[in-house]
Amino acid sequence: MSAYAGTGRLIRLAARRDRIQLPIWILASAAVMGAGVAAVADEFPTEAGRVSALQAAGGSPAVLLMRGTPVGTDLGALVNFRNFSSMLVVVGLMSTFAMVRHTRQNEETGRAELIGSGVVGRHAALTAALTVTIAANLLLGALVTATLLGSGLAVDGSLAFGAACAVTGMAFTGIAAIAAQLFQGARATNAFAATAVGVAFMVRGVGDALGERAADGIQVNSAWLSWLSPLGWGAQVRPYGDERWWVLALPVALLVVCVGAAFALVDRRDLGAGLLPDRPGPAIASRSLLSPLGLAWRLNRGATYGWVIGSAVSGLAIGSLGAAVNDAMAGNEGASELLGQLAGTGGPDLVDVFFAAMMNIFGVLAASFAVQILLRLRAEESGGQAEAVLATAVGRAKWLASHLTCAVGGAAAMLVLTGAGAGLADAAAGGDTGVVTLAGAGLAQLPAALAMAGFVVLVFGGLPRLSVTLAWAGLALAITFGLLGDVIGLPQSVRDLSPFSHVPAIPAVAATAGPIVGLLAVAAVLTAAGAVLFRRRDLAL
Amino acid sequence: MNDALEVTGLVKAFGSTRALDGLDLHVRTGEVHGFLGPNGAGKTTTIRVLLGLLHADSGQVKVLGGDPWKDAVALHHRLAYVPGDVNLWPNLSGGEAIDLLGDLRGGLDKARRQELMERFQLDPAKRCRTYSKGNRQKVALVAAFASDVELFILDEPTSGLDPLMEAAFQQTVREVSGRGATVLLSSHIFSEVEALCSRVSIIRDGRTVESGTLAELRHLTRTAVAVEAAEPITGLDGLPGVHDLVAEGMRASFDVDSAELPGVLRHLAAFEVHVLTSHPPTLEKLFMRHYGNGVPVSEVSR
């Protein structure tokens, strides 16, 4: 067993490094579930109220796409419908990031080399990362189950809910374990694994949106597409419905297969190496690289292409659903009302309301993109590359502006192309919403993304060492307040703190200048304040 | 002519730690100035203040006559920097990194770049992530020395270079010095500093403890002497300035304060000396005198 020598110590090291981060993920998940149950109990105390809400929601592909399929009408079933799909995403991301942190990131930084020179077996690092991540999944599942039980929900359903969370996390643990063998950089590995979560969400969402309504008018049976997604498997356990325990075996099987493959890859590759050898680069830089903006684009272009293409393809998928929305909603007045509430308007045209709700989601994605791109500033600073650049004749404002340009330009391209893609697909499916209208609807989301970008610049300028945590926490809060505020029953004044609460629901309502100008002003003020703080502070190396 | 670097009473604290505690540093235009101190003495912090990357808490700092914080961009056109830890972009090639850093500084001499690339035997097509520490340093060195600037700030630039490359480095420093450029060289390699530097500053705990030409500094320290005579050598232990005396019959070895050397030689003349060897104080000894035995700052800074 010498391949596993030192695993125990590495487990303790990983647990020690994550002693704050993982408990935050786990406790926050349990807290969100506690709040979620309370909100549902508060809003829908009666069976009749829940039935009408679920009947309306089940008729809307947009709602099914975001939230998954309803499984019943009791309190737990509604909690499942409102919170389950986002909780599965949370465990997926937690597991992904934890795995990469303890595998490829160690190799990239050279820590693994130092560790590997000790009495440490070839399999120890991966085993330790798997142990810690799977333990975190089990803890999260147990704590979520305990919270649900403590809120008075059914035992079977609560067990199934927690178990599904845990095994879904394990599926992504496996995916990340393989990704960590293939890519050389931790950044690329994280991007790949997080994309896997996003793709799994889209596949599950489209499968659910295309699902078939059961005879009771409440439950929806997902289309086969949902079964291709690890997030879909978690959902198909159907806690608080007809719990299908056997489905729990699917993510576990995926974990086993992935772990086997990952160990096989570990045995075949050198420490620090990826699957593909490094190709030589150009001996002389091209003209286009030789400016702060050229460098920023070079550093960010891979991520930008990934986000823009991924988002545009999703836009095509959403656009193709437009016609289905009309069919599904014909004659369902409750659905139109609920969708109207979701989109923040009571507009009559269901397809427009659907597209408005979807564009709001793409606005969140654009904001996430901007956050990721701008945090490169901090990575360059702590990694020492900024020191080299700022010791040349490049001023701090110019350096900051070059990365900001990439973030803003990329987000704008992403939103316009996604809207245009949705418009094209809609037209191809016989819809008449219009390419220009939807591209404009996409672009209308940009000010909210820019406000988030301004927040990132502010924390980077003011609190550089905390900026990564604060930026992602700020985004998570903005999403929670703006998009899930209704789900967990937040008052309007809190929801208004999120930029996503203020974007006009184009094309369901006409564009209004007020909120857009307001968001742009907030973005400008935050960015300017962050830039001033950055110019005044020491480089935090 | 103004000094290229004028630092007086520089203080920089990080939280409760005073990294720089009244540091002085004067580098004359055109000289190669050695900047010595043990790990954690504040060399890199000083350099980052000189580059405007850190803001001084108090004290006067002038770089090429300007304020490094306010005039950072204008000054950076005129200087080149090689960091102690060269961190490059893993997916750029070495050649790209050189061109980029040179261009951001205001352009580099293409022929000179080629010449230096050959001198340092650097393969510019390799990705930066595949470079060793020494090769990353070569990238930064080529990017710096291919720039036609007045001031070079080098932070332990050769700590990863092999002896052949060390020679190439020394040759390059002599070339830029020969055309009138000023060089601040932070280093732990005494032979390198002795070979290149006309003046040195030694710092400790954020303060300057010695500064001057090598000759001046040598004068402040001890010469190692070993003698062998035809008769037993006596009386050395009574002489002023003699330390660490080991006398065994007709042989003796000891260290002597440079200022007391004439008196010791007069004393030795009375014996029939066959062999006398003496080693002038090395920079290493000088350095060790300040750091070797944990001598408090107050005793060594006069």
Side-chain angles (χ1 to χ4, degrees):
Chain A
M1 292 301 278
S2 66
Y4 297 91
T7 304
R9 280 185 176 281
L10 293 189
I11 290 172
R12 289 207 296 281
L13 173 66
R16 157 97 188 147
R17 284 181 62 208
D18 274 354
R19 69 194 183 282
I20 295 171
Q21 199 163 1
L22 281 178
I24 287 179
W25 282 91
I26 293 169
L27 291 173
S29 301
V32 163
M33 286 316 300
V37 177
V40 169
D42 184 49
E43 272 180 77
F44 302 99
T46 65
E47 173 103 15
R50 294 195 289 269
V51 167
S52 70
L54 285 170
Q55 273 176 340
S60 157
V63 175
L64 294 175
L65 192 151
M66 292 309 299
R67 302 244 167 109
T69 53
V71 296
T73 58
D74 63 9
L75 196 59
L78 195 54
V79 169
N80 168 336
F81 182 61
R82 297 233 294 195
N83 296 86
F84 198 30
S85 65
S86 48
M87 190 53 62
L88 294 177
V89 170
V90 167
V91 285
L93 291 176
M94 176 187 83
S95 309
T96 295
F97 294 147
M99 277 304 289
V100 175
R101 207 160 44 240
H102 296 300
T103 52
R104 183 52 77 169
Q105 197 187 72
N106 280 343
E107 283 189 55
E108 190 183 37
T109 55
R111 287 193 291 260
E113 190 177 343
L114 194 60
I115 289 167
S117 67
V119 186
V120 168
R122 178 169 282 276
H123 288 174
L126 183 56
T127 311
L130 287 167
T131 309
V132 168
T133 311
I134 291 173
N137 283 313
L138 293 173
L139 259 176
L140 185 145
L143 212 59
V144 163
T145 294
T147 308
L148 295 170
L149 286 174
S151 307
L153 296 185
V155 176
D156 279 9
S158 303
L159 280 174
F161 196 110
C165 286
V167 295
T168 303
M170 290 181 203
F172 286 99
T173 303
I175 292 171
I178 290 201
Q181 311 308 319
L182 303 184
F183 295 93
Q184 279 204 327
R187 188 177 287 273
T189 313
N190 266 329
F192 173 83
T195 306
V197 176
V199 170
F201 186 84
M202 278 307 294
V203 170
R204 200 270 311 136
V206 172
D208 288 353
L210 297 174
E212 217 174 301
R213 196 157 236 204
D216 64 358
I218 301 289
Q219 297 194 32
V220 174
N221 292 313
S222 310
W224 58 271
L225 205 54
S226 294
W227 289 91
L228 297 182
S229 158
L231 291 176
W233 297 339
Q236 294 304 328
V237 174
R238 297 171 76 103
Y240 303 109
D242 51 339
E243 287 89 5
R244 293 187 278 192
W245 300 99
W246 65 269
V247 182
L248 292 172
L250 291 178
V252 175
L254 179 65
L255 171 71
V256 170
V257 171
C258 286
V259 166
F263 276 123
L265 287 168
V266 165
D267 287 334
R268 276 163 186 75
R269 71 180 181 87
D270 294 335
L271 185 72
L275 205 62
L276 299 170
D278 270 307
R279 283 169 301 125
I284 292 174
S286 73
R287 219 36 254 168
S288 61
L289 176 67
L290 300 180
S291 69
L293 185 58
L295 173 63
W297 170 241
R298 177 70 178 270
L299 297 175
N300 291 317
R301 71 181 178 194
T304 306
Y305 287 144
W307 278 90
V308 170
I309 292 170
S311 178
V313 169
S314 304
L316 287 171
I318 295 297
S320 66
L321 288 176
V325 174
N326 252 344
D327 300 346
M329 300 252 192
N332 189 339
E333 294 189 5
S336 102
E337 200 177 311
L338 186 106
L339 251 190
Q341 283 167 8
L342 271 177
T345 167
D349 189 337
L350 287 177
V351 179
D352 285 351
V353 173
F354 168 73
F355 282 133
M358 287 298 108
M359 284 305 152
N360 207 357
I361 304 291
F362 287 113
V364 169
L365 289 181
S368 312
F369 162 80
V371 170
Q372 185 194 324
I373 297 299
L374 287 173
L375 284 178
R376 184 83 198 208
L377 287 165
R378 177 60 195 151
E380 293 275 296
E381 184 183 18
S382 58
Q385 292 90 343
E387 182 184 12
V389 170
L390 293 174
T392 69
V394 174
R396 293 193 186 192
K398 197 169 179 183
W399 180 69
L400 182 69
S402 66
H403 283 262
L404 199 58
T405 306
C406 287
V408 175
M414 189 173 152
L415 287 167
V416 169
L417 289 175
T418 304
L424 283 173
D426 180 52
D432 59 358
T433 312
V435 174
V436 174
T437 307
L438 281 175
L443 197 57
Q445 309 293 330
L446 186 62
L450 295 188
M452 270 320 299
F455 176 73
V456 179
V457 175
L458 179 71
V459 293
F460 171 70
L463 297 163
R465 289 179 207 283
L466 295 175
S467 58
V468 176
T469 311
L470 288 177
W472 289 120
L475 179 69
L477 283 181
I479 294 173
T480 309
F481 292 174
L483 267 68
L484 305 173
D486 61 328
V487 175
I488 53 176
L490 293 173
Q492 190 62 41
S493 56
V494 175
R495 293 191 218 171
D496 282 346
L497 290 173
S498 167
F500 305 119
S501 301
H502 301 281
V503 181
I506 305 170
V509 299
T512 43
I516 289 180
V517 172
L519 285 170
L520 288 175
V522 168
V525 168
L526 293 176
T527 306
V532 168
L533 288 171
F534 175 55
R535 290 185 67 178
R536 287 187 181 176
R537 71 168 168 85
D538 287 344
L539 224 54
L541 289 143
Chain B
M1 206 192 297
N2 278 334
D3 285 353
L5 297 174
E6 294 170 65
V7 179
T8 315
L10 175 60
V11 174
K12 177 70 195 174
F14 298 107
S16 57
T17 321
R18 274 167 94 87
L20 299 179
D21 192 10
L23 181 126
D24 299 321
L25 177 66
H26 296 273
V27 177
R28 293 172 193 159
T29 300
E31 76 180 4
V32 180
H33 193 101
F35 194 37
L36 301 170
N39 299 326
K43 299 188 297 294
T44 299
T45 303
T46 306
I47 285 173
R48 285 180 178 156
V49 171
L50 294 176
L51 291 166
L53 300 173
L54 300 179
H55 195 283
D57 292 339
S58 66
Q60 273 86 52
V61 184
K62 282 245 185 291
V63 175
L64 300 172
D67 178 334
W69 182 259
K70 288 197 195 119
D71 313 326
V73 171
L75 291 175
H76 292 176
H77 274 293
R78 300 163 61 194
L79 64 83
Y81 167 51
V82 175
D85 254 333
V86 181
N87 293 295
L88 301 166
W89 300 271
N91 50 347
L92 261 61
S93 72
E96 285 181 310
I98 290 170
D99 288 345
L100 177 69
L101 289 172
D103 202 79
L104 295 179
R105 192 176 290 128
L108 43 69
D109 181 336
K110 289 256 162 27
R112 177 85 171 140
R113 172 193 191 273
Q114 189 55 38
E115 182 193 340
L116 289 167
M117 205 98 76
E118 281 161 21
R119 181 183 298 174
F120 285 105
Q121 296 169 16
L122 184 70
D123 177 358
K126 276 189 153 183
R127 304 276 176 187
C128 290
R129 78 162 66 83
T130 64
Y131 280 138
S132 65
K133 175 181 163 71
N135 278 328
R136 290 202 305 273
Q137 274 178 330
K138 290 182 196 171
V139 168
L141 286 168
V142 172
F145 285 123
S147 307
D148 182 21
V149 292
E150 299 160 49
L151 172 65
F152 293 88
I153 297 180
L154 314 174
D155 190 1
E156 296 181 28
T158 60
S159 52
L161 297 188
D162 64 44
L164 276 176
M165 292 304 122
E166 170 71 40
F169 168 77
Q170 293 193 13
Q171 180 194 347
T172 312
V173 169
R174 286 199 187 92
E175 283 167 6
V176 298
S177 176
R179 66 165 169 77
T182 310
V183 179
L184 178 68
L185 173 63
S186 153
S187 177
H188 278 137
I189 301 169
F190 298 111
S191 60
E192 171 182 292
V193 174
E194 287 185 316
L196 291 174
C197 298
S198 42
R199 292 172 68 236
V200 300
S201 292
I202 299 179
I203 71 166
R204 171 176 179 164
D205 297 339
R207 281 189 221 172
T208 313
V209 292
E210 294 278 11
S211 190
T213 64
L214 277 174
E216 282 166 0
L217 295 187
R218 282 200 175 114
H219 196 65
L220 298 171
T221 186
R222 297 165 187 168
T223 302
V225 179
V227 290
E228 208 178 312
E231 52 193 306
I233 302 170
T234 54
L236 278 172
D237 48 352
L239 292 178
V242 173
H243 307 267
D244 303 331
L245 173 67
V246 181
E248 292 172 348
M250 288 171 258
R251 288 182 199 178
S253 66
F254 55 90
D255 292 345
V256 56
D257 289 342
S258 299
E260 303 292 344
L261 196 53
V264 172
L265 289 178
R266 275 196 296 277
H267 178 81
L268 287 175
F271 303 89
E272 197 178 329
V273 174
H274 291 160
V275 179
L276 186 144
T277 56
S278 80
H279 298 287
T282 60
L283 191 58
E284 184 173 359
K285 278 211 161 171
L286 192 73
F287 190 81
M288 292 305 197
R289 188 174 149 229
H290 287 299
Y291 301 108
N293 325 314
V295 189
V297 170
S298 53
E299 281 183 36
V300 290
S301 59
R302 296 137 295 110

